[in-house]
Amino acid sequence: RRQRQMCIRDRNKAVELLENTELSLYEISSRVGYDDYFHFSKLFKKYMNISPANYRKNKSKKENEQS
C-alpha cells in the first residue's frame, strides 16, 4: 500500500484548525482527510518538525504570554 504524503493544502488546513478551533486532534485529522490519527500525526511531525499536540500547546502558550 502506498503511503499518502501530506500536501501543503492539508498542512495549512490542519494548522488553521489547530489554531482556530478546539476540535480534538482525531477530529482534525479526519477533517483533513486522514482516517488514521497516528498516520496524520506522523506526517504532520515529519513536515512541520513538531507534533500536532505540541503545535497546539505551543501556540496557546505563546498567546497566553502575549496577553
Side-chain angles (χ1 to χ4, degrees), residues 21-37:
T21 72
E22 294 185 17
L23 293 170
S24 74
L25 298 175
Y26 292 97
E27 290 175 294
I28 290 173
S29 67
S30 179
R31 289 192 183 195
V32 175
Y34 294 85
D35 295 330
D36 181 354
Y37 165 73

Side-chain angles (χ1 to χ4, degrees), residues 14-58:
V15 165
E16 177 187 333
L17 293 171
L18 286 165
E19 290 179 354
N20 300 312
T21 72
E22 294 185 17
L23 293 170
S24 74
L25 298 175
Y26 292 97
E27 290 175 294
I28 290 173
S29 67
S30 179
R31 289 192 183 195
V32 175
Y34 294 85
D35 295 330
D36 181 354
Y37 165 73
F38 296 103
H39 182 66
F40 163 76
S41 181
K42 180 178 165 184
L43 287 176
F44 188 94
K45 186 171 184 175
K46 176 180 177 180
Y47 292 106
M48 302 294 288
N49 296 316
I50 189 170
S51 71
N54 285 336
Y55 182 91
R56 177 178 269 171
K57 192 183 303 181
N58 289 346

